[in-house]
Amino acid sequence: MDGNTPEIKRGRKYDQVIAGARDVFLAHGFEGASVDLIAREAGVSKATLYSYFPDKRMLFVEVAKQECASQADRALQVDATDIPVREMLTTMSHKMMEFLTSNFAQRIFRICVAESDRFPELGREFYASGPKLLEDRLSVYFEHACERGELKIDDIGLAAMQFQELVKSEIFVKMIFNIIEKPTQAQIDRVINGAVDMFLARYAA
């Protein structure tokens, strides 16, 4: 890219292109995903693909952003501000864990790390559409919980990031390094219960 990122075109085959690209990136990584392969998987011509995304990097970033935003939406519904804190944190944790242990999250994380030196904007986009988005939405909920007197937090942004890291404890790292392939329900419950207990031990009012 030359720094002047063109606006992404959205037409009737946009979703088709995104779906095909998602499958190819997951199977082959960023470097191994050729434009020919993506076009074939998406069922479109190369000309059609290029009309939506002038280069592969733009396409990868858009795939990652969409999936992460979708997962963040499922992980946290901030309009449910009246739900008790422990219940909300436990529910959010299970949804976050579902994403963190998914094949997509594991593959995208590895791709972003592998390509971060050459294409640093990939990592920035992944962070903005994943961890940062979730931080913002957690912060909204924490603010309401503080107003209700359930939490006492001086630095809400820091607390939101701390909670994400607590949920990532042990399982995410072990999966990234191929120490475990898939966690058991007992392992998941252990990490989530520990994350919620530790967070509330620090921030419960």
Side-chain angles (χ1 to χ4, degrees):
M1 282 188 174
D2 58 8
N4 297 316
T5 304
E7 183 177 351
I8 294 173
K9 170 187 173 184
R10 294 178 182 270
R12 64 187 181 88
K13 292 193 175 182
Y14 171 85
D15 290 338
Q16 193 173 327
V17 169
I18 290 292
R22 180 187 187 279
D23 292 342
V24 173
F25 284 132
L26 282 178
H28 301 281
F30 178 82
E31 192 63 36
S34 70
V35 173
D36 287 330
L37 188 57
I38 293 171
R40 185 162 61 249
E41 183 69 23
V44 300
S45 67
K46 286 177 65 175
T48 296
L49 191 150
Y50 279 125
S51 74
Y52 286 96
F53 298 95
D55 67 43
K56 185 174 69 171
R57 181 167 27 179
M58 282 181 62
L59 178 54
F60 172 74
V61 168
E62 189 67 11
V63 168
K65 284 173 62 178
Q66 283 202 16
E67 186 67 17
C68 289
S70 174
Q71 293 289 349
D73 279 336
R74 291 196 288 271
L76 178 57
Q77 298 295 327
V78 296
D79 56 334
T81 55
D82 59 337
I83 295 178
V85 172
R86 181 176 289 277
E87 180 182 345
M88 174 62 93
L89 292 179
T90 301
T91 299
M92 285 189 299
S93 297
H94 279 286
K95 292 179 179 179
M96 289 166 62
M97 186 70 77
E98 182 180 352
F99 174 57
L100 290 170
T101 59
S102 69
N103 182 53
F104 179 86
Q106 295 284 314
R107 290 289 299 174
I108 288 295
F109 180 82
R110 290 189 179 102
I111 291 170
C112 284
V113 171
E115 303 296 337
S116 62
D117 287 340
R118 285 192 301 160
F119 308 132
E121 70 272 22
L122 291 177
R124 287 195 293 266
E125 291 286 0
F126 178 75
Y127 177 80
S129 60
K132 184 61 172 67
L133 179 60
L134 192 52
E135 175 196 347
D136 292 343
R137 296 185 176 189
L138 279 166
S139 295
V140 170
Y141 176 77
F142 289 162
E143 286 174 1
H144 284 281
C146 287
E147 290 170 1
R148 294 197 306 270
E150 293 185 57
L151 295 177
K152 181 176 174 55
I153 303 174
D154 293 326
D155 189 334
I156 285 180
L158 176 61
M161 292 304 291
Q162 288 173 332
F163 184 69
Q164 290 190 61
E165 292 304 313
L166 288 171
V167 176
K168 288 169 63 179
S169 296
E170 187 175 6
I171 290 175
F172 181 75
V173 174
K174 284 185 175 180
M175 291 185 69
I176 286 293
F177 288 103
N178 292 313
I179 295 172
I180 60 173
E181 182 175 349
K182 203 72 175 176
T184 65
Q185 189 59 51
Q187 289 173 318
I188 290 173
D189 291 341
R190 173 174 172 265
V191 169
I192 288 176
N193 292 337
V196 174
D197 286 344
M198 182 170 287
F199 186 85
L200 291 179
R202 172 64 179 85
Y203 291 116

Short mmCIF file of all heavy atoms in Angstrom, two decimals, residues 137-185:
data_model
loop_
_atom_site.label_atom_id
_atom_site.label_comp_id
_atom_site.label_asym_id
_atom_site.label_seq_id
_atom_site.Cartn_x
_atom_site.Cartn_y
_atom_site.Cartn_z
N ARG A 137 -16.40 -1.38 24.95
CA ARG A 137 -17.73 -1.85 25.35
C ARG A 137 -17.76 -2.32 26.80
O ARG A 137 -18.76 -2.12 27.50
CB ARG A 137 -18.18 -2.94 24.38
CG ARG A 137 -18.34 -2.38 22.97
CD ARG A 137 -18.89 -3.36 21.99
NE ARG A 137 -19.09 -2.69 20.72
CZ ARG A 137 -19.72 -3.24 19.69
NH1 ARG A 137 -20.23 -4.45 19.78
NH2 ARG A 137 -19.84 -2.58 18.57
N LEU A 138 -16.67 -2.93 27.23
CA LEU A 138 -16.58 -3.27 28.65
C LEU A 138 -16.60 -2.01 29.50
O LEU A 138 -17.24 -1.96 30.56
CB LEU A 138 -15.28 -4.04 28.92
CG LEU A 138 -15.28 -5.54 28.60
CD1 LEU A 138 -13.86 -6.07 28.61
CD2 LEU A 138 -16.13 -6.32 29.58
N SER A 139 -15.91 -0.98 29.03
CA SER A 139 -15.84 0.28 29.78
C SER A 139 -17.22 0.89 29.98
O SER A 139 -17.54 1.42 31.05
CB SER A 139 -14.93 1.27 29.06
OG SER A 139 -13.58 0.81 29.04
N VAL A 140 -18.05 0.80 28.94
CA VAL A 140 -19.41 1.33 29.04
C VAL A 140 -20.17 0.59 30.14
O VAL A 140 -20.84 1.21 30.99
CB VAL A 140 -20.16 1.20 27.70
CG1 VAL A 140 -21.65 1.51 27.87
CG2 VAL A 140 -19.55 2.13 26.66
N TYR A 141 -20.06 -0.73 30.15
CA TYR A 141 -20.76 -1.50 31.17
C TYR A 141 -20.21 -1.20 32.56
O TYR A 141 -20.96 -1.03 33.52
CB TYR A 141 -20.67 -3.01 30.90
CG TYR A 141 -21.31 -3.81 32.00
CD1 TYR A 141 -22.70 -3.92 32.09
CD2 TYR A 141 -20.53 -4.40 32.99
CE1 TYR A 141 -23.29 -4.60 33.14
CE2 TYR A 141 -21.11 -5.09 34.04
CZ TYR A 141 -22.49 -5.19 34.11
OH TYR A 141 -23.08 -5.86 35.14
N PHE A 142 -18.88 -1.13 32.67
CA PHE A 142 -18.27 -0.86 33.98
C PHE A 142 -18.70 0.51 34.52
O PHE A 142 -18.89 0.67 35.73
CB PHE A 142 -16.75 -0.93 33.87
CG PHE A 142 -16.22 -2.32 33.67
CD1 PHE A 142 -14.92 -2.51 33.20
CD2 PHE A 142 -17.00 -3.43 33.94
CE1 PHE A 142 -14.42 -3.79 33.02
CE2 PHE A 142 -16.51 -4.72 33.76
CZ PHE A 142 -15.21 -4.89 33.29
N GLU A 143 -18.83 1.49 33.65
CA GLU A 143 -19.29 2.81 34.09
C GLU A 143 -20.68 2.73 34.71
O GLU A 143 -20.95 3.32 35.76
CB GLU A 143 -19.29 3.78 32.91
CG GLU A 143 -17.89 4.21 32.48
CD GLU A 143 -17.92 5.05 31.21
OE1 GLU A 143 -19.03 5.30 30.69
OE2 GLU A 143 -16.84 5.45 30.75
N HIS A 144 -21.57 1.97 34.05
CA HIS A 144 -22.93 1.81 34.59
C HIS A 144 -22.89 1.05 35.93
O HIS A 144 -23.63 1.39 36.86
CB HIS A 144 -23.81 1.08 33.58
CG HIS A 144 -24.26 1.93 32.44
ND1 HIS A 144 -25.30 2.82 32.53
CD2 HIS A 144 -23.79 2.03 31.17
CE1 HIS A 144 -25.47 3.43 31.38
NE2 HIS A 144 -24.57 2.98 30.53
N ALA A 145 -22.04 0.04 36.01
CA ALA A 145 -21.95 -0.74 37.24
C ALA A 145 -21.40 0.10 38.38
O ALA A 145 -21.82 -0.05 39.54
CB ALA A 145 -21.07 -1.98 37.03
N CYS A 146 -20.48 1.00 38.06
CA CYS A 146 -19.97 1.92 39.08
C CYS A 146 -21.06 2.87 39.54
O CYS A 146 -21.19 3.17 40.75
CB CYS A 146 -18.77 2.70 38.53
SG CYS A 146 -17.25 1.74 38.37
N GLU A 147 -21.86 3.36 38.60
CA GLU A 147 -22.95 4.26 38.95
C GLU A 147 -23.98 3.57 39.84
O GLU A 147 -24.60 4.20 40.69
CB GLU A 147 -23.61 4.79 37.68
CG GLU A 147 -22.74 5.75 36.88
CD GLU A 147 -23.33 6.06 35.52
OE1 GLU A 147 -24.43 5.55 35.21
OE2 GLU A 147 -22.69 6.82 34.75
N ARG A 148 -24.16 2.26 39.64
CA ARG A 148 -25.10 1.51 40.47
C ARG A 148 -24.51 1.14 41.83
O ARG A 148 -25.19 0.58 42.68
CB ARG A 148 -25.52 0.21 39.76
CG ARG A 148 -26.32 0.40 38.49
CD ARG A 148 -27.03 -0.89 38.10
NE ARG A 148 -26.13 -2.03 38.00
CZ ARG A 148 -25.48 -2.40 36.90
NH1 ARG A 148 -25.62 -1.68 35.80
NH2 ARG A 148 -24.69 -3.45 36.90
N GLY A 149 -23.22 1.39 41.99
CA GLY A 149 -22.56 1.07 43.25
C GLY A 149 -22.09 -0.35 43.37
O GLY A 149 -21.73 -0.81 44.46
N GLU A 150 -22.05 -1.11 42.23
CA GLU A 150 -21.61 -2.51 42.27
C GLU A 150 -20.10 -2.63 42.10
O GLU A 150 -19.49 -3.59 42.58
CB GLU A 150 -22.31 -3.31 41.17
CG GLU A 150 -23.81 -3.48 41.38
CD GLU A 150 -24.42 -4.37 40.33
OE1 GLU A 150 -23.98 -5.53 40.20
OE2 GLU A 150 -25.34 -3.92 39.62
N LEU A 151 -19.49 -1.68 41.40
CA LEU A 151 -18.05 -1.68 41.20
C LEU A 151 -17.47 -0.34 41.65
O LEU A 151 -18.16 0.68 41.65
CB LEU A 151 -17.70 -1.89 39.71
CG LEU A 151 -18.07 -3.23 39.08
CD1 LEU A 151 -17.72 -3.22 37.60
CD2 LEU A 151 -17.36 -4.39 39.79
N LYS A 152 -16.20 -0.37 42.01
CA LYS A 152 -15.46 0.85 42.34
C LYS A 152 -14.16 0.81 41.56
O LYS A 152 -13.23 0.08 41.91
CB LYS A 152 -15.20 0.94 43.84
CG LYS A 152 -14.46 2.21 44.25
CD LYS A 152 -14.31 2.29 45.76
CE LYS A 152 -13.45 3.47 46.19
NZ LYS A 152 -13.94 4.75 45.65
N ILE A 153 -14.10 1.59 40.47
CA ILE A 153 -12.95 1.55 39.55
C ILE A 153 -12.48 2.97 39.28
O ILE A 153 -13.26 3.82 38.84
CB ILE A 153 -13.32 0.87 38.22
CG1 ILE A 153 -13.85 -0.54 38.46
CG2 ILE A 153 -12.11 0.82 37.29
CD1 ILE A 153 -14.37 -1.22 37.20
N ASP A 154 -11.20 3.22 39.52
CA ASP A 154 -10.63 4.55 39.23
C ASP A 154 -10.23 4.67 37.75
O ASP A 154 -10.44 5.70 37.13
CB ASP A 154 -9.41 4.80 40.11
CG ASP A 154 -9.79 4.94 41.59
OD1 ASP A 154 -10.89 5.47 41.86
OD2 ASP A 154 -9.00 4.52 42.45
N ASP A 155 -9.64 3.62 37.21
CA ASP A 155 -9.19 3.63 35.81
C ASP A 155 -9.97 2.57 35.05
O ASP A 155 -9.57 1.40 35.00
CB ASP A 155 -7.69 3.36 35.75
CG ASP A 155 -7.09 3.58 34.36
OD1 ASP A 155 -7.85 3.46 33.37
OD2 ASP A 155 -5.89 3.86 34.27
N ILE A 156 -11.08 2.96 34.47
CA ILE A 156 -11.98 2.00 33.84
C ILE A 156 -11.35 1.36 32.61
O ILE A 156 -11.50 0.15 32.37
CB ILE A 156 -13.32 2.68 33.50
CG1 ILE A 156 -14.13 2.89 34.78
CG2 ILE A 156 -14.13 1.84 32.49
CD1 ILE A 156 -15.47 3.54 34.59
N GLY A 157 -10.63 2.13 31.81
CA GLY A 157 -9.98 1.56 30.63
C GLY A 157 -8.98 0.47 31.00
O GLY A 157 -8.93 -0.59 30.36
N LEU A 158 -8.19 0.72 32.04
CA LEU A 158 -7.23 -0.29 32.50
C LEU A 158 -7.95 -1.53 33.00
O LEU A 158 -7.56 -2.66 32.69
CB LEU A 158 -6.36 0.29 33.61
CG LEU A 158 -5.36 -0.68 34.26
CD1 LEU A 158 -4.37 -1.20 33.24
CD2 LEU A 158 -4.64 0.01 35.43
N ALA A 159 -9.02 -1.34 33.75
CA ALA A 159 -9.78 -2.48 34.28
C ALA A 159 -10.36 -3.33 33.15
O ALA A 159 -10.38 -4.56 33.23
CB ALA A 159 -10.90 -1.99 35.19
N ALA A 160 -10.81 -2.68 32.08
CA ALA A 160 -11.37 -3.41 30.94
C ALA A 160 -10.31 -4.27 30.27
O ALA A 160 -10.57 -5.42 29.88
CB ALA A 160 -11.97 -2.43 29.94
N MET A 161 -9.10 -3.74 30.12
CA MET A 161 -8.02 -4.53 29.53
C MET A 161 -7.57 -5.63 30.47
O MET A 161 -7.24 -6.74 30.03
CB MET A 161 -6.85 -3.61 29.17
CG MET A 161 -7.15 -2.64 28.04
SD MET A 161 -7.72 -3.46 26.52
CE MET A 161 -6.22 -4.31 26.01
N GLN A 162 -7.53 -5.34 31.77
CA GLN A 162 -7.15 -6.37 32.74
C GLN A 162 -8.11 -7.56 32.69
O GLN A 162 -7.68 -8.72 32.75
CB GLN A 162 -7.13 -5.77 34.14
CG GLN A 162 -5.96 -4.84 34.39
CD GLN A 162 -6.06 -4.13 35.73
OE1 GLN A 162 -7.16 -3.90 36.25
NE2 GLN A 162 -4.92 -3.77 36.30
N PHE A 163 -9.41 -7.26 32.56
CA PHE A 163 -10.37 -8.36 32.53
C PHE A 163 -10.16 -9.23 31.29
O PHE A 163 -10.23 -10.46 31.36
CB PHE A 163 -11.80 -7.83 32.57
CG PHE A 163 -12.82 -8.93 32.64
CD1 PHE A 163 -12.94 -9.70 33.77
CD2 PHE A 163 -13.64 -9.20 31.55
CE1 PHE A 163 -13.86 -10.74 33.84
CE2 PHE A 163 -14.56 -10.24 31.61
CZ PHE A 163 -14.67 -11.00 32.75
N GLN A 164 -9.91 -8.60 30.15
CA GLN A 164 -9.64 -9.38 28.94
C GLN A 164 -8.44 -10.31 29.14
O GLN A 164 -8.47 -11.47 28.72
CB GLN A 164 -9.36 -8.45 27.76
CG GLN A 164 -10.58 -7.69 27.27
CD GLN A 164 -10.30 -6.99 25.95
OE1 GLN A 164 -10.00 -7.63 24.95
NE2 GLN A 164 -10.39 -5.67 25.95
N GLU A 165 -7.39 -9.79 29.76
CA GLU A 165 -6.20 -10.61 29.97
C GLU A 165 -6.45 -11.75 30.95
O GLU A 165 -5.90 -12.84 30.80
CB GLU A 165 -5.04 -9.72 30.47
CG GLU A 165 -4.53 -8.74 29.43
CD GLU A 165 -4.10 -9.42 28.15
OE1 GLU A 165 -3.37 -10.43 28.21
OE2 GLU A 165 -4.51 -8.95 27.06
N LEU A 166 -7.28 -11.50 31.95
CA LEU A 166 -7.63 -12.57 32.88
C LEU A 166 -8.34 -13.72 32.17
O LEU A 166 -8.07 -14.90 32.43
CB LEU A 166 -8.52 -12.03 34.01
CG LEU A 166 -7.84 -11.12 35.05
CD1 LEU A 166 -8.89 -10.49 35.96
CD2 LEU A 166 -6.83 -11.91 35.88
N VAL A 167 -9.23 -13.37 31.25
CA VAL A 167 -9.96 -14.40 30.51
C VAL A 167 -9.02 -15.16 29.57
O VAL A 167 -9.22 -16.35 29.29
CB VAL A 167 -11.13 -13.78 29.72
CG1 VAL A 167 -11.84 -14.83 28.87
CG2 VAL A 167 -12.13 -13.14 30.69
N LYS A 168 -7.98 -14.51 29.09
CA LYS A 168 -7.00 -15.15 28.20
C LYS A 168 -5.98 -16.01 28.94
O LYS A 168 -5.18 -16.69 28.31
CB LYS A 168 -6.26 -14.08 27.39
CG LYS A 168 -7.11 -13.42 26.32
CD LYS A 168 -6.42 -12.21 25.74
CE LYS A 168 -5.13 -12.56 25.03
NZ LYS A 168 -4.50 -11.37 24.44
N SER A 169 -6.03 -15.99 30.25
CA SER A 169 -5.03 -16.71 31.04
C SER A 169 -4.95 -18.19 30.65
O SER A 169 -5.97 -18.85 30.48
CB SER A 169 -5.37 -16.61 32.54
OG SER A 169 -5.29 -15.29 32.99
N GLU A 170 -3.75 -18.67 30.51
CA GLU A 170 -3.41 -20.08 30.34
C GLU A 170 -3.90 -20.70 29.03
O GLU A 170 -3.10 -21.11 28.19
CB GLU A 170 -3.91 -20.92 31.53
CG GLU A 170 -3.42 -22.36 31.46
CD GLU A 170 -3.80 -23.20 32.67
OE1 GLU A 170 -4.56 -22.70 33.53
OE2 GLU A 170 -3.36 -24.34 32.74
N ILE A 171 -5.19 -20.75 28.81
CA ILE A 171 -5.72 -21.49 27.67
C ILE A 171 -5.30 -20.88 26.35
O ILE A 171 -4.82 -21.57 25.45
CB ILE A 171 -7.26 -21.58 27.77
CG1 ILE A 171 -7.65 -22.52 28.91
CG2 ILE A 171 -7.86 -22.07 26.46
CD1 ILE A 171 -9.15 -22.58 29.17
N PHE A 172 -5.48 -19.56 26.19
CA PHE A 172 -5.16 -18.91 24.92
C PHE A 172 -3.70 -19.11 24.56
O PHE A 172 -3.36 -19.47 23.43
CB PHE A 172 -5.50 -17.42 24.99
CG PHE A 172 -5.24 -16.67 23.72
CD1 PHE A 172 -6.09 -16.80 22.63
CD2 PHE A 172 -4.14 -15.83 23.61
CE1 PHE A 172 -5.85 -16.10 21.46
CE2 PHE A 172 -3.88 -15.14 22.45
CZ PHE A 172 -4.74 -15.27 21.36
N VAL A 173 -2.81 -18.88 25.51
CA VAL A 173 -1.37 -19.01 25.26
C VAL A 173 -1.01 -20.45 24.91
O VAL A 173 -0.23 -20.70 23.99
CB VAL A 173 -0.56 -18.53 26.48
CG1 VAL A 173 0.93 -18.80 26.27
CG2 VAL A 173 -0.79 -17.05 26.73
N LYS A 174 -1.57 -21.39 25.64
CA LYS A 174 -1.25 -22.80 25.37
C LYS A 174 -1.74 -23.23 23.98
O LYS A 174 -1.09 -24.05 23.32
CB LYS A 174 -1.87 -23.69 26.45
CG LYS A 174 -1.10 -23.65 27.77
CD LYS A 174 -1.67 -24.65 28.78
CE LYS A 174 -0.82 -24.67 30.04
NZ LYS A 174 -1.34 -25.62 31.04
N MET A 175 -2.86 -22.67 23.54
CA MET A 175 -3.34 -22.99 22.20
C MET A 175 -2.46 -22.35 21.13
O MET A 175 -2.16 -22.96 20.11
CB MET A 175 -4.80 -22.56 22.04
CG MET A 175 -5.77 -23.38 22.85
SD MET A 175 -7.50 -22.95 22.54
CE MET A 175 -7.72 -23.56 20.86
N ILE A 176 -2.04 -21.11 21.36
CA ILE A 176 -1.17 -20.41 20.40
C ILE A 176 0.12 -21.19 20.18
O ILE A 176 0.62 -21.30 19.06
CB ILE A 176 -0.86 -18.98 20.88
CG1 ILE A 176 -2.09 -18.08 20.72
CG2 ILE A 176 0.34 -18.38 20.15
CD1 ILE A 176 -2.48 -17.84 19.27
N PHE A 177 0.66 -21.76 21.26
CA PHE A 177 1.91 -22.49 21.16
C PHE A 177 1.71 -24.00 20.95
O PHE A 177 2.65 -24.78 21.09
CB PHE A 177 2.76 -22.25 22.41
CG PHE A 177 3.34 -20.87 22.47
CD1 PHE A 177 2.79 -19.91 23.31
CD2 PHE A 177 4.42 -20.50 21.67
CE1 PHE A 177 3.31 -18.62 23.36
CE2 PHE A 177 4.94 -19.22 21.72
CZ PHE A 177 4.40 -18.27 22.57
N ASN A 178 0.47 -24.38 20.60
CA ASN A 178 0.15 -25.77 20.28
C ASN A 178 0.44 -26.74 21.42
O ASN A 178 0.78 -27.90 21.19
CB ASN A 178 0.90 -26.21 19.01
CG ASN A 178 0.39 -25.51 17.78
OD1 ASN A 178 -0.81 -25.44 17.56
ND2 ASN A 178 1.30 -24.99 16.97
N ILE A 179 0.31 -26.26 22.64
CA ILE A 179 0.46 -27.14 23.79
C ILE A 179 -0.82 -27.93 24.01
O ILE A 179 -0.80 -29.10 24.40
CB ILE A 179 0.84 -26.32 25.04
CG1 ILE A 179 2.22 -25.69 24.84
CG2 ILE A 179 0.84 -27.20 26.30
CD1 ILE A 179 2.62 -24.72 25.91
N ILE A 180 -1.94 -27.26 23.78
CA ILE A 180 -3.22 -27.96 23.77
C ILE A 180 -3.95 -27.60 22.48
O ILE A 180 -3.78 -26.52 21.93
CB ILE A 180 -4.11 -27.59 24.99
CG1 ILE A 180 -4.42 -26.09 25.03
CG2 ILE A 180 -3.47 -28.06 26.28
CD1 ILE A 180 -5.41 -25.70 26.11
N GLU A 181 -4.74 -28.54 21.99
CA GLU A 181 -5.48 -28.30 20.76
C GLU A 181 -6.83 -27.65 21.04
O GLU A 181 -7.24 -26.71 20.36
CB GLU A 181 -5.69 -29.61 20.00
CG GLU A 181 -6.42 -29.43 18.67
CD GLU A 181 -6.51 -30.72 17.89
OE1 GLU A 181 -5.83 -31.71 18.26
OE2 GLU A 181 -7.26 -30.75 16.88
N LYS A 182 -7.51 -28.15 22.06
CA LYS A 182 -8.82 -27.62 22.44
C LYS A 182 -9.02 -27.84 23.93
O LYS A 182 -8.80 -28.96 24.42
CB LYS A 182 -9.93 -28.33 21.65
CG LYS A 182 -11.22 -27.52 21.54
CD LYS A 182 -11.05 -26.34 20.59
CE LYS A 182 -12.38 -25.62 20.39
NZ LYS A 182 -12.22 -24.41 19.54
N PRO A 183 -9.42 -26.82 24.67
CA PRO A 183 -9.59 -26.99 26.12
C PRO A 183 -10.85 -27.77 26.45
O PRO A 183 -11.83 -27.77 25.70
CB PRO A 183 -9.70 -25.55 26.62
CG PRO A 183 -10.30 -24.81 25.46
CD PRO A 183 -9.72 -25.44 24.23
N THR A 184 -10.83 -28.43 27.60
CA THR A 184 -12.03 -29.11 28.09
C THR A 184 -12.93 -28.07 28.76
O THR A 184 -12.51 -26.95 29.08
CB THR A 184 -11.65 -30.18 29.12
OG1 THR A 184 -11.08 -29.53 30.28
CG2 THR A 184 -10.65 -31.17 28.54
N GLN A 185 -14.17 -28.45 28.99
CA GLN A 185 -15.09 -27.55 29.67
C GLN A 185 -14.61 -27.25 31.08
O GLN A 185 -14.76 -26.13 31.58
CB GLN A 185 -16.50 -28.15 29.70
CG GLN A 185 -17.57 -27.17 30.19
CD GLN A 185 -17.66 -25.93 29.32
OE1 GLN A 185 -17.77 -26.03 28.09
NE2 GLN A 185 -17.60 -24.76 29.94
#
